[in-house]
Amino acid sequence: MFSKVLIANRGEIALRILRACKELGIQTVAVHSSADADAMHVRLADESVCIGPPAALDSYLNIPSIMAACEITGADAVHPGYGFLSENARFARILDEHKIAFIGPSAAHIEMMGDKIEAKRTARKLGIPCVPGSAGAVNTQAEALGAAREIGFPVLVKAASGGGGRGMKVALNEGELAVAWSTARTEAKAAFGDDAVYLEKYLGKPRHIEVQVLGDGRGNAVHIGTRDCSLQRRHQKLWEEANAPSITAAERDRIGEVCAKATRDMKYSGAGTVEFLYEDGEFYFIEMNTRLQVEHPVTERITNIDIVYEQIRVAAGEKLSLVQNEIQFWGHAIEVRINAEDPVDFTPSPGTITYYHPAGGVGVRIDSGIYQGYKVPPYYDSLIGKLIVHGRNRAECLQRLRRALDEFVVDGIKTTLPLFRRLADEPDIISGDYNIHWLEAYLAGTKK
Ligand code: MV4
């Protein structure tokens, strides 16, 4: 096992990782920008190193600074959290060259899944159902037209290096294809420095359902259920549930086993998320994320599995501590993301937290590093915490969410908490009848 883990992240996830390390008896190093000196995880870590000024490019994304912090502190492993360097194959490789473990999959797996065309090719080869689409990159307008005719309209042009929805363009018919293809290429080039694009059948009203997998790189792998992450705004998830409410236990086990087998067959090591669009009873693979995800606590809550503990174990070369037939699912969990944002127009709301009273009681978990007097810096993502509630079933879970939200007080800044209190009373939310467009339509006042 590792003796000292450097946590290359900030905010609630840095604290989450620190907690797992402490429970494993591992020493912790917090690295932070000058704007994060007062963060809770910095206070709780055994050691801390300031790695640069507020701008993430100069601190949390600054590989030489982080390598220097590893060297100074003698850390033997790095946990990258989510975002920042968590899916940076070059960072994983540099750590490897310095005999420091990257707590995550191999650089090769990160690279493969970072290329969406390669990821899809791999998924199909491993028996994962995919969205019908072009065989690979579509490099000319004529190729695009040929592929689109074969797929059938509407089609979606996607960036090979994409993710997060950037460089994505819909073409409803042949007349729209040329413009969609060329603007997608231009956007992809500008955003990712790579103009490769591919085509898929456009699904109009899917749910976003993902499968959490864990592998140990030695041919052992399990799935630990599904999550529905359809409630999002501009590709920012706001509300996540486990298991996905719209599918049966049999459907979950079937798609879960397909993903676990794929994880096993590619000798994947660590935590992974296989993302699907789900429409009319069918799953369609879109991407695989090779990192810990923001929404991992809902899965932890219904399975009693500590995902970060498993990540650390397998990165240290130990076998997975889990076998599929011992994994059980207990009730239902919902996570809502507490962002320092206006709950109506979502403008950022950094500043000092003048009063903090977190919810508590049975079935409530809060992952957050905030405290009364903490100053939310303006430089980073607005996520300041997550409220996770559990119930024996979805109805109980929703009622517990309402109860927890009624208790929760964060004063001094605006947060998304009031939005969730409203959502918890919406008939479509109560019935579980929503897709990836529902929240944006609701916020626009049109509702579906
Ligand atoms: C799609 C799609 C419809 N059809 N692919 C958006 C982000 C990217 N990672 C995948 N995305 C989508 N791919 C096909 N063939 C609709 C989306 C999409 C979406 C997906 C998941 C969650 C939210 C979304 C919001 C808008 C569009």
Side-chain angles (χ1 to χ4, degrees):
M1 187 43 70
F2 305 123
S3 52
K4 194 183 279 189
V5 168
L6 183 143
I7 302 162
N9 214 298
R10 62 179 302 281
E12 67 84 21
I13 199 65
L15 181 56
R16 168 69 189 89
I17 295 160
L18 179 132
R19 286 170 170 157
C21 292
K22 286 211 164 188
E23 291 181 13
L24 277 157
I26 300 171
Q27 294 285 108
T28 52
V29 179
V31 293
H32 63 89
S33 73
S34 55
D36 281 334
D38 294 329
M40 182 61 80
H41 78 280
V42 174
R43 297 185 183 187
L44 292 174
D46 296 298
E47 293 169 81
S48 64
V49 180
C50 182
I51 50 166
L57 273 174
D58 300 321
S59 51
Y60 299 104
L61 291 168
N62 186 337
I63 296 176
S65 289
I66 294 167
M67 295 309 296
C70 288
E71 174 86 25
I72 291 163
T73 58
D76 51 0
V78 171
H79 197 306
Y82 51 66
F84 297 127
L85 297 170
S86 62
E87 291 177 295
N88 187 311
R90 195 167 67 85
F91 181 51
R93 220 162 253 136
I94 290 169
L95 284 167
D96 204 44
E97 283 160 9
H98 288 78
K99 308 268 183 276
I100 299 167
F102 176 78
I103 302 176
S106 68
H109 280 128
I110 297 172
E111 216 152 49
M112 176 203 284
M113 295 307 170
D115 177 341
K116 307 303 163 186
I117 293 174
E118 187 63 22
K120 222 177 143 181
R121 207 189 328 265
T122 305
R124 180 171 294 113
K125 219 164 54 197
L126 292 167
I128 298 174
C130 294
V131 191
S134 57
V138 167
N139 298 315
T140 66
Q141 219 186 95
E143 250 178 76
L145 186 59
R149 282 181 175 155
E150 213 162 287
I151 297 162
F153 286 91
V155 296
L156 191 55
V157 189
K158 290 185 168 182
S161 303
R166 281 192 299 177
M168 241 175 52
K169 288 280 167 280
V170 185
L172 297 177
N173 51 56
E174 284 193 15
E176 291 182 0
L177 185 65
V179 170
W181 176 79
S182 61
T183 49
R185 278 176 84 83
T186 307
E187 279 189 26
K189 183 75 187 172
F192 315 108
D194 171 15
D195 64 4
V197 298
Y198 62 108
L199 257 59
E200 276 183 357
K201 178 83 181 177
Y202 175 68
L203 303 176
K205 45 175 181 43
R207 287 174 168 266
H208 177 153
I209 296 181
E210 55 190 33
V211 176
Q212 177 72 57
V213 293
L214 293 165
D216 64 12
R218 309 158 162 212
N220 301 305
V222 296
H223 81 85
I224 54 173
T226 58
R227 296 185 286 258
D228 189 313
C229 307
S230 300
L231 289 171
Q232 57 84 37
R233 177 186 173 271
R234 299 189 181 173
H235 303 288
Q236 288 289 114
K237 298 167 185 170
L238 283 163
W239 168 308
E240 301 105 342
E241 309 194 27
N243 275 298
S246 53
I247 61 168
T248 64
E251 280 177 288
R252 174 200 64 210
D253 292 344
R254 194 172 49 79
I255 195 70
E257 194 37 58
V258 169
C259 294
K261 184 182 183 308
T263 305
R264 217 174 288 137
D265 290 349
M266 63 177 155
K267 298 226 157 45
Y268 185 88
S269 175
T273 299
V274 189
E275 291 192 347
F276 293 93
L277 297 177
Y278 179 81
E279 191 172 84
D280 299 328
E282 301 287 340
F283 285 94
Y284 302 97
F285 172 90
I286 45 170
E287 290 171 25
M288 179 170 182
N289 300 322
T290 55
R291 59 167 191 277
L292 181 68
Q293 295 211 225
V294 177
E295 59 271 24
H296 76 278
V298 287
T299 301
E300 295 190 322
R301 190 59 190 81
I302 63 160
T303 58
N304 289 322
I305 292 165
D306 182 333
I307 295 173
V308 181
Y309 168 90
E310 297 299 333
Q311 282 189 298
I312 295 170
R313 273 181 60 103
V314 301
E318 293 181 31
K319 278 195 197 159
L320 215 54
S321 80
L322 308 158
V323 284
Q324 192 70 55
N325 64 15
E326 286 172 6
I327 292 162
Q328 288 186 59
F329 300 102
W330 307 86
H332 194 82
I334 297 175
E335 170 180 285
V336 293
R337 297 193 187 188
I338 308 167
N339 292 339
E341 289 173 357
D342 183 294
V344 175
D345 65 16
F346 299 93
T347 52
S349 181
T352 302
I353 293 166
T354 55
Y355 184 76
Y356 181 55
H357 179 82
V362 171
V364 174
R365 166 176 170 181
I366 293 160
D367 277 20
S368 179
I370 69 172
Y371 51 87
Q372 195 161 310
Y374 175 70
K375 201 169 168 190
V376 179
Y379 310 105
Y380 311 104
D381 183 278
S382 63
L383 183 80
I384 56 167
K386 305 180 305 208
L387 166 63
I388 304 102
V389 292
H390 179 256
R392 285 171 295 182
N393 52 54
R394 191 165 180 273
E396 188 178 87
C397 187
L398 271 170
Q399 182 62 7
R400 190 157 281 152
L401 175 63
R402 295 182 194 103
R403 187 274 287 171
L405 289 167
D406 286 343
E407 287 177 23
F408 216 130
V409 185
V410 181
D411 281 344
I413 59 166
K414 291 177 187 170
T415 76
T416 43
L417 285 168
L419 167 66
F420 301 129
R421 187 62 192 83
R422 287 199 291 138
L423 290 179
D425 284 336
E426 278 298 317
D428 289 347
I429 300 291
I430 293 167
S431 65
D433 180 19
Y434 57 79
N435 60 42
I436 60 169
H437 303 299
W438 189 92
L439 183 60
E440 287 176 353
Y442 171 81
L443 292 169
T446 54
K447 220 176 145 201
K448 281 216 263 192

